Amino acid sequence: MFLLTPAYKQYLWGGTTLSERFGKDASLPLIAESWELSVHPDGPSRIASGPDCGRTLRDYLSEHPACAGGAPEDPLPVLIKLIDAQKPLSVQVHPDDAYAYRNAGERGKTELWHILEAKPGAFLYLGLNREIARAELSRRIADGTVEEVLRRIPVQAGESYYVPAGMLHAIGAGIVLYEIQESSNQTYRVYDYGRLDAAGKPRPLHIESALAVARLSPSDTTPPGQSDWQAAQGAEARTIVRCPHFTLREIALSGRTEVSASAGDFLHLLCVSGRAQAAQGAATPEKEVQ
C-alpha cells in the first residue's frame, strides 16, 4: 500500500476548488483535473510514500504487473480523476475500444461521473434528446446548434451518471465530480462555444472522428450494477457502478472497517469528504492491497 501524487491538468475551464477544498497543489492558479490514479503517458501518477517514492506508477506496475492484475505493457485499465468545471467543458464524444485501438492504438473511453458538488442550476449534457440522422448532427455541429438536440440534465451532489463510449456529452459550469474511466485520452471535441485558448486561437475540433463514433439515439445514463446501501462493521457501503471496465463502491465510515482486493485485482482508495486513515493488514498472495 502506498500514497500517490496526482498529475494536474490546467485547462481554460478549471477553477480553484481542488486546491482550496481538496488540498491539491495550491501553487497552480487553476486546476481543471487531478489525475488521482493514472498510468497514462499523458499524466502518470507518482508514488509518494515507501521505498519506491518518486517513481511513476506506470514504471512500478510494469515491473510488478501482478499488483494490478495487468501485463507489463498494459499495467492498469482505468484512470481516476477529480474534475473542477468552473466553466462548461466542450461538447465531446469518446470512441469505443475497437475504434480507438484501430485508429489510436489505445483503449476507448467509457466513464462514470459521481457528482461531489453542484451549484444551483448546474447541469450536464448527456446524449441526445431524440433520434437524429448523422447528416443532421453534422449540420448542427457546423452551424452551432448542436446544443438544441442534446439532453440537458440538472444535477445535485451525490448523483451518478454512466457515460458509455459514443455518447455526446458535456459537463456544465459549477460542477465538481469524481470520474472513473478507461485508461484513455481519446476525446473528440465537436463544439466549444466559440472560445479561444490562451494564445487567442480556437481550440481544435475533431468533427470527422466524432461523427464516426457518435450514438444517434438517446442512451440510458443509469449506472449498471448499482446496489443499495448495506451495513458493515464500522461503515455503510454501496456499489455505484459495476461494468466490464470498472467497479466503483462508496463507503461511509462510522468507525473502523476492512476492505480488500482479491488476487488479480487492485484497490484504489480516495477520500472525498472528511478525514480517513488507511493501514495495511497482514498481506498474503491472495489479498494484497495496492
Side-chain angles (χ1 to χ4, degrees):
M1 183 171 68
F2 43 69
L3 299 175
L4 294 174
T5 298
Y8 297 113
K9 301 295 180 180
Q10 299 186 73
Y11 303 135
L12 57 80
W13 44 263
T16 58
T17 300
L18 297 185
S19 60
E20 292 173 350
R21 294 206 285 280
F22 288 83
K24 303 306 175 182
D25 191 344
S27 67
L28 300 174
L30 298 175
I31 302 175
E33 297 183 350
S34 175
W35 290 20
E36 299 287 321
L37 176 71
S38 170
V39 298
H40 198 281
D42 291 345
S45 306
R46 288 189 177 272
I47 297 173
S49 65
D52 292 285
C53 184
R55 299 185 66 190
T56 67
L57 181 61
R58 184 179 185 88
D59 285 347
Y60 177 86
L61 291 180
S62 294
E63 294 181 7
H64 307 280
C67 290
E73 68 278 7
D74 187 21
L76 193 67
V78 301
L79 196 161
I80 292 173
K81 303 175 180 178
L82 295 176
I83 293 178
D84 178 14
Q86 291 307 300
K87 297 178 181 178
L89 276 68
S90 62
V91 178
Q92 56 192 240
V93 66
H94 307 304
D96 62 16
D97 290 346
Y99 186 95
Y101 275 123
R102 187 168 63 249
N103 291 277
E106 69 171 339
R107 286 183 174 84
K109 190 175 174 186
T110 286
E111 55 196 13
L112 181 287
W113 296 338
H114 182 66
I115 310 299
L116 300 176
E117 299 181 8
K119 293 181 179 178
F123 67 90
L124 305 171
Y125 283 136
L126 284 173
L128 298 168
N129 56 30
R130 60 176 174 83
E131 186 170 352
I132 65 174
R134 203 168 300 275
E136 180 183 356
L137 178 58
S138 177
R139 174 180 61 79
R140 287 188 175 276
I141 291 172
D143 65 20
T145 63
V146 68
E147 289 179 278
E148 295 179 8
V149 293
L150 298 177
R151 181 170 54 169
R152 176 171 169 150
I153 301 177
V155 296
Q156 298 180 11
E159 297 175 342
S160 302
Y161 296 90
Y162 188 61
V163 189
M167 177 185 286
L168 287 161
H169 61 273
I171 302 171
I175 295 174
V176 178
L177 60 80
Y178 172 108
E179 176 179 294
I180 182 169
Q181 58 160 89
E182 292 182 81
S183 183
S184 172
N185 204 22
Q186 292 299 303
T187 297
Y188 305 146
R189 192 181 297 126
V190 302
Y191 179 66
D192 200 33
Y193 318 100
R195 293 185 293 200
L196 304 179
D197 63 18
K201 298 180 180 180
R203 296 198 296 171
L205 303 179
H206 316 94
I207 308 302
E208 183 178 351
S209 295
L211 288 172
V213 303
R215 300 185 181 203
L216 301 178
S217 301
S219 301
D220 187 9
T221 61
T222 303
Q226 283 186 318
S227 73
D228 295 331
W229 286 98
Q230 296 180 342
Q233 182 178 359
E236 288 187 318
R238 68 181 179 116
T239 298
I240 291 177
V241 62
R242 185 187 299 275
C243 71
H245 306 292
F246 42 73
T247 296
L248 176 64
R249 299 186 73 225
E250 182 176 13
I251 301 172
L253 289 173
S254 56
R256 182 186 179 94
T257 194
E258 294 185 3
V259 293
S260 63
S262 302
D265 292 334
F266 69 95
L267 182 68
H268 179 255
L269 299 174
L270 182 64
C271 181
V272 297
S273 179
R275 298 175 64 87
Q277 184 177 28
Q280 185 172 2
T284 69
E286 288 74 32
K287 291 189 176 181
E288 182 174 344
V289 178
Q290 292 288 344

